[in-house]
Amino acid sequence: MLNDIDRILITQEEIAARVRELGREITATYDQSDPNLTLVPILSGSVIFLADVMRQLPIRMKIGLVTVSSYQGATTEGVAPQMPTISDLDIAGQDVLVIDDILDTGRTLRLVTSRIRELQPRSVRTCVLLRKPSRAPSDFTADFIGFDVEDSFVVGYGLDYDGHYRNYPNIGVLRPELYES
Ligand code: XMP
């Protein structure tokens, strides 16, 4: 696995430090006297980020899961995201924080947040570990962003190529010959 990584963009130490900062930013945003928070991670890419960031939030909370798939293999030209499976989300009146691995074109987060709003939560915010500013739309962004990254296909810390590399602890760029044919 390690030989497949062309270069590291963000080290695991840098991720850990930024996740602690994000935890402080998110905690300061919510009213501690009236905690009503539901984290909604978008599976599967956000699982490692979720596990780390939620432990930085000393807030009473629940988790609801959403599954969306849009990318196949390593193309950064994603097909349209499928309608999310929002299973048993009981979020009416809740403060919802949607967690995703990366904001690329923004189509996934737009779709998920619009579906979530239909369930009448008290508030909806979004948190992503990564954003590709060169691709993200000018009229849509996330409320909390870990890092801006270049427009390369990145893997690690939950992000995959064809299902692999999610367990790579840094954020890295794959050797191009692995996915360019
Ligand atoms: P959109 O374009 O909808 O994309 O904002 C969001 C979803 O696409 C996946 N994605 C990536 N996955 N490396 C990955 O492993 C990437 O560089 C990348 N770019 C987009 C990801 O699942 C994200 O939730």
Side-chain angles (χ1 to χ4, degrees):
M1 174 174 83
L2 299 181
N3 291 339
D4 296 346
I5 305 297
D6 185 48
R7 61 206 152 85
I8 294 175
L9 289 186
I10 309 168
T11 66
Q12 55 188 311
E13 292 79 15
E14 291 168 329
I15 296 171
R18 183 68 186 119
V19 168
R20 282 194 294 274
E21 286 175 3
L22 281 174
R24 287 192 285 274
E25 290 173 29
I26 294 167
T27 302
T29 300
Y30 290 99
D31 180 0
Q32 304 299 313
S33 66
D34 183 19
N36 224 338
L37 184 60
T38 300
L39 297 188
V40 177
I42 302 178
L43 301 178
S44 303
S46 69
V47 288
I48 297 180
F49 181 40
L50 168 75
D52 284 347
V53 81
M54 69 183 288
R55 286 178 292 172
Q56 300 299 325
L57 305 178
I59 308 173
R60 213 163 68 100
M61 68 169 67
K62 296 189 284 190
I63 295 178
L65 305 178
V66 169
T67 304
V68 182
S69 63
S70 55
Y71 278 72
Q72 288 147 357
T75 176
T76 52
E77 300 308 316
V79 295
Q82 295 166 5
M83 283 305 274
T85 308
I86 299 191
S87 50
D88 304 326
L89 271 192
D90 182 15
I91 53 169
Q94 295 276 305
D95 293 314
V96 171
L97 180 60
V98 180
I99 309 271
D100 204 4
D101 50 3
I102 186 165
L103 174 65
D104 191 313
T105 65
R107 285 187 296 193
T108 303
L109 267 188
R110 260 195 224 269
L111 187 62
V112 169
T113 52
S114 79
R115 286 294 306 279
I116 282 176
R117 283 201 177 87
E118 291 168 10
L119 302 175
Q120 303 189 323
R122 181 163 78 177
S123 67
V124 182
R125 292 186 177 86
T126 53
C127 174
V128 294
L129 178 70
L130 306 176
R131 174 179 62 173
K132 290 182 179 171
S134 60
R135 305 215 342 138
S138 54
D139 62 339
F140 183 86
T141 191
D143 297 284
F144 306 97
I145 297 167
F147 301 90
D148 280 331
V149 291
E150 64 186 52
D151 183 17
S152 297
F153 197 82
V154 294
V155 296
Y157 197 73
L159 291 129
D160 73 304
Y161 165 54
D162 221 8
H164 297 116
Y165 307 103
R166 291 195 199 278
N167 57 324
Y168 180 62
N170 308 295
I171 302 288
V173 177
L174 274 186
R175 282 179 27 223
E177 61 268 31
L178 291 174
Y179 57 89
E180 285 173 0
S181 54

